[in-house]
Amino acid sequence: QTLKLVVVEDKTTRENLVSLSYGQRQVVDASHLFVLCVQTKINSDDVDNHFKNIKKIRATPDDVLEPFKAQMKSTIENMSEDNKLIWATKQAYIALGNLMTVCAVEGIDSCPMEGFIPEAIDKALNLEAMNLKSVLLLPVGFRAEDDMFSGFKKVRKQLL
């Protein structure tokens, strides 16, 4: 689990992120801004920490965990740095789907965004110091009463 959710609540900080998000106002207009991040350095220590957490929470015996742990460590150790980042980013999309589902169930609007300048967001939020890189933004909140788009039909390309 090489991802982290950074919640940006400060309006001034979020206002500064609008220009880094191609002028998309939902970054500041939403009540909260979630930044889905992945670790920039991923190694076998992350696997060890994950399995320590599993053991702590589930009290799973080592003989059950060790084969899977060894396989995961081998996989991570044999991945290139680029492939680790690709894999971690895919994990962030899984988390995004779950976050959006929970928001929808709770009646909270969410707006997934790739339209931003990751390097600039990383710098503005000092993510590098936390060994993190932004991959997705998710502004969340309740729809404004005067949202003229709220009643519009969704426009989607036919998948079939």
Side-chain angles (χ1 to χ4, degrees):
Q1 296 180 349
T2 58
L3 53 104
K4 184 167 178 88
L5 181 68
V6 174
V7 181
V8 184
E9 294 180 86
D10 180 70
K11 285 280 190 183
T12 303
T13 300
R14 290 173 34 209
E15 188 67 53
N16 292 333
L17 300 180
V18 172
S19 65
L20 309 178
S21 305
Y22 303 109
Q24 297 179 85
R25 296 287 313 162
Q26 60 267 42
V27 168
V28 74
D29 292 343
S31 63
H32 292 80
L33 176 63
F34 296 161
V35 183
L36 285 86
C37 302
V38 296
Q39 289 176 210
T40 56
K41 295 175 184 72
I42 301 168
N43 58 44
S44 60
D45 291 342
D46 296 303
V47 176
D48 288 334
N49 291 332
H50 178 63
F51 279 89
K52 282 179 192 172
N53 198 31
I54 291 172
K55 186 172 176 136
K56 177 181 161 189
I57 292 170
R58 296 182 180 164
T60 307
D62 286 335
D63 61 319
V64 173
L65 294 177
E66 278 306 316
F68 185 41
K69 178 180 168 182
Q71 184 271 326
M72 281 190 71
K73 285 177 88 162
S74 174
T75 299
I76 292 292
E77 290 166 357
N78 288 306
M79 275 185 176
S80 69
E81 293 304 313
D82 285 344
N83 282 343
K84 288 177 189 178
L85 184 59
I86 291 167
W87 168 74
T89 300
K90 289 178 180 180
Q91 299 300 303
Y93 275 90
I94 293 170
L96 173 72
N98 286 318
L99 278 168
M100 292 177 66
T101 299
V102 169
C103 285
V105 166
E106 295 297 324
I108 299 169
D109 287 340
S110 62
C111 179
M113 295 174 57
E114 284 188 321
F116 65 98
I117 305 165
E119 298 80 13
I121 296 282
D122 297 353
K123 185 175 180 180
L125 299 176
N126 199 27
L127 296 178
E128 188 176 318
M130 296 181 271
N131 183 35
L132 297 173
K133 173 183 179 20
S134 60
V135 293
L136 295 158
L137 301 182
L138 186 67
V140 299
F142 294 102
R143 185 172 300 152
E145 295 289 328
D146 62 351
D147 181 357
M148 65 180 262
F149 295 102
S150 66
F152 289 9
K153 287 186 174 185
K154 298 285 184 191
V155 178
R156 302 287 184 258
K157 178 181 174 183
Q158 291 293 327
L159 296 177
L160 298 175

